[in-house]
Amino acid sequence: MEAVTAMKPLIRVAAISGSLRKGSFNTGLLRAAIELTKESVPGMQIEHIDISPLPLINTDLETNGTYPPVVEAFRQKILEADSILFASPEYNFSVAAPLKNAIDWASRSPNVWADKPAAVVSAGGGFGGGRSQYHLRQIGVFLDLHFINKPEFTINAFQPPQKFDAEGNLVDEVAKERLKQVLVSLQAFTLRLQGK
C-alpha cells in the first residue's frame, strides 16, 4: 500500500519591505524568501507588496469611509493574505518611516492587520536591525498582529563574509538556511492559528 502524503494548504504571505532603496538588503531578504518558497517550502506563496506609492498618511485623504485607490489596493492585499512577512530596516533605533506609514494606513478602520500571523526579518549594520524588530512587535500588540517568537532573524550586512551582492541579493548560504527556518515557523504558526 502506497503512503499518501497530505498536501499542505496554500499559505498566502504578503511581504513588505520598510526600505525603498533600489539595492535594499531588506528587500533582498524578501526576494530570497520568495525563492526559498519555490525551492524548499512547499505550500507557501509570498507576494512582495510595494509600499512606495502610498501617500503619507493624512486623514484628509479619507472620504466617506474610503481611502485613495492606491491605499485601498494595499489594504485589500493585506486583507487577502493569510500572514505577513516584514523586512524591517532600522532607522534611528526604530522602524523606518515608509514601513510605519504603510502600517498606519492599513490600521485605519477597519484594521486589516487584525488576527494575522506575522514574522519579521532585518538586515543592517550593528545589531542587524534588531531594535526595529522590537518596536515593530510593540506596534503589533495594538494592531492584533501575532508575531512568531522564534527563530529571530537579523543579519549584519556589512560584516565579512559578504552576505549580499551588488544588487542587494542574499548570497550567504547560512543566512538562507536561517531565513528558511523563519518561513517554516511562520507557515506552521499560520496553520495552527487557522486550526489546520
Side-chain angles (χ1 to χ4, degrees), residues 24-40:
S24 163
F25 299 138
N26 283 278
T27 305
L29 290 177
L30 297 185
R31 284 194 300 272
I34 290 167
E35 288 305 310
L36 284 167
T37 58
K38 293 175 184 174
E39 297 166 6
S40 54

Side-chain angles (χ1 to χ4, degrees), residues 105-131:
W105 271 124
S107 73
R108 299 293 295 162
S109 184
N111 170 22
V112 295
W113 300 113
D115 288 328
K116 302 279 185 189
V120 56
V121 297
S122 298
F127 294 109
R131 292 184 190 97

